[in-house]
Amino acid sequence: MAPPPPPPLAASTPLLHGEFGSYPARGSRFALTLTPQALHIQRLRPKPEARPRGGLVLLAEVSGCCTLRSRSLSDSAAYFCIYTYPQGRRGGRLGGRRRAPRTFRADGAATYEENRAEAQRWATALMCLLRGVPLPGDGEITPELLPRPPRLFLLVNPFGGRGLAWQWCKNHVLPMISEAGLSFNLIQTERQNHARELVQGLNLSEWDGIVTVSGDGLLFEVLNGLLGRPDWEEAVKTPVGILPCGSGNALAGAVNQHGGFEPALGVDLLLNCSLLLCRGGSRPLDLLSVTLASGSRCFSFLSVAWGFVSDVDIQSERFRALGSARFTLGTVLGLANLHTYRGRLSYLPAAVEPASPTPAHGLPRAKSELTLAPAPAPAPPVAHSPLHRSVSDLPLPLPMPQPALTSPGSPEPLPILSLNGGGPELAGDWGGAGDAPLSPDPLLPSPPSSPKAALLSPITEGVPEMPASSGLPPPTPDAPEAISTGGPPDHLLPPLGTPLPPGWVTLEGDFVLMLAISPSHLGADLVAAPHARFDDGLVHLCWVRGGISRAALLRLFLAMERGSHFNLGCPQLGYAAARAFRLEPLTPRGVLTVDGEQVEYGPLQAQMHPGLGTLLTGPPGCPVAPAFYGPKPRPAHRPRPACLLPHNSWLWGSQDLFRTH
């Protein structure tokens, strides 16, 4: 019988304490104290500080830690470097994050081996805290406590947002995940639905998560690709994550809020989400099954929109070069040409007590270290188009040799980033005038006799081949893009065009907009459903009826930046929490979107499937100003009231950090 887990430590409980020198500055001495939430730094020499500047390093702002050694053979000291991303100050307010590595010198012993053991003890303790690995109460802290690095499959849309996605990925994402010791393979998508094809041909057993580096559209492709596989029941359990580099970053805004960070945009939002990814942790993700008029079905993690919201989303596509500012310009143009749409909205109100969320799926962890094998010979040609934009620190056979990275129009190749040793060796981090440069000293070096890790399978495009005896239907690679051939049945929905069962609520009239949203955010800075959770099992319906003035509609969207639009008392604004809904547009022309992607216009219906997917969110953070996001919305329909959202805290459930299944 396994021993019970140790009780959680108080935030201020000292775990380690010691005295260290600094690098590259000589002569300074610091007292370091490590607690479960922060590293406290106090200068001892040359002059103690009464109020030390930069003396508190929050672990929420740390991406990773590595051990180092001097290249000078006469130096018996060992070193460890902490990669931090603190927020700056702008006019007395918190500003953007900046990379600020801190390197300390362990020199209390006479021999290098003893100093190295001390540096490794601190680096291991820090990495255990970052990844949620419990520290032994009275045992020795050794690098063997650390699991192998999770293996992430990164997909980047190089044209995302204002075309800066690849540059941001190269400058911010890859260095940070390397500092965290995460293993990765990166593929650049080349066309629409490329990500969908890739995940359908991926051997998912070799990856611990799929992360998109783009806007919300790329994750839409990934999830529908997973649910379009013959083995969708297992495939959809694969944790997915998002690092925002697009113009629409709604899910990233919700992840940022879940992590306890203040609202952010642009590079700041990307750094926040990257920090959370480095920490690990996941939540169940509700997915909405959407059946369109033609009978095709797709899955949504974000929203279904009709009216003003979808009009702005699609009509602002021509301003994509502006990035997220395209939505601001689109909103102004939409207000100038405001339309109303006649339609019928029916929904199944949520029960008073929503079903308990399913257990979270974390990234698998193992005690063994990931040992890298030599790069294999190029794989033989395959029938599908080659994947020629790839960067990896894993032994991944590719259909095309690596020199194809320099093909015309392709971004320049990246250097191979080191594992366990932290990140790229930067002179600014580990070198200074008069100081011998430092080099990585991995926490877990591979023993000479250790077997090499098996090579990962080549990545192919399309649906994986299934054994003839599997009993699963054959794949349909030529199916329309919006169709997902797999996924659970919609047991709450009758066929489109047939009467609805008892218990449904129906509203008919003129609408300016109708929005069905799953997470809290409609955009990185738009909080449409303030108290929504990733796994509450609800679809949050918001609508605005006709008769609202342009000024009142503008006030709603301005208040939505703070999640306080339900405070305005707007009589045309309605809300309901539901488990399923049906939308029947009665206006002959209009625009419907699912997760920002335009779909066929006509009647549609949808059902929420609680916890069907798994989202990499990082650990939950402290609540960010509970009053900031406003009160819970009031149900608009009195005869059959939908329940108020039962959640009043952003601290949900337990962390599930990279654990083994």
Side-chain angles (χ1 to χ4, degrees), residues 491-633:
H491 64 282
L492 297 177
L493 296 175
L496 264 175
T498 62
L500 293 168
W504 284 62
V505 177
T506 298
L507 306 173
E508 184 172 337
D510 293 329
F511 295 88
V512 171
L513 68 87
M514 197 291 298
L515 177 69
I517 190 166
S518 302
S520 55
H521 285 56
L522 179 60
D525 56 349
L526 288 178
V527 189
H531 293 272
R533 304 197 311 263
F534 299 120
D535 56 351
D536 57 12
L538 303 174
V539 55
H540 304 274
L541 301 175
C542 305
W543 62 86
V544 175
R545 288 187 176 271
I548 190 172
S549 66
R550 291 177 174 84
L553 186 60
L554 178 60
R555 283 195 296 269
L556 281 180
F557 277 91
L558 292 176
M560 197 179 291
E561 294 182 1
R562 301 180 59 85
S564 59
H565 46 294
F566 292 104
N567 274 355
L568 299 180
C570 176
Q572 290 85 12
L573 175 63
Y575 168 83
R579 300 170 62 196
F581 72 92
R582 175 183 288 181
L583 175 63
E584 300 169 277
L586 303 178
T587 301
R589 299 180 61 183
V591 176
L592 282 169
T593 59
V594 176
D595 292 358
E597 305 295 322
Q598 187 170 2
V599 297
E600 60 183 287
Y601 188 71
L604 63 77
Q605 60 185 16
Q607 174 182 326
M608 182 60 75
H609 293 275
L612 181 60
T614 303
L615 179 66
L616 297 173
T617 60
C622 296
V624 181
F628 182 89
Y629 295 105
K632 301 175 184 178

Side-chain angles (χ1 to χ4, degrees), residues 9 33 44 84 88 132 143 206 236 410 415 530 558 629:
L9 297 170
T33 303
L44 302 177
T84 71
E206 295 174 341
V236 76
S410 297
L558 292 176
Y629 295 105

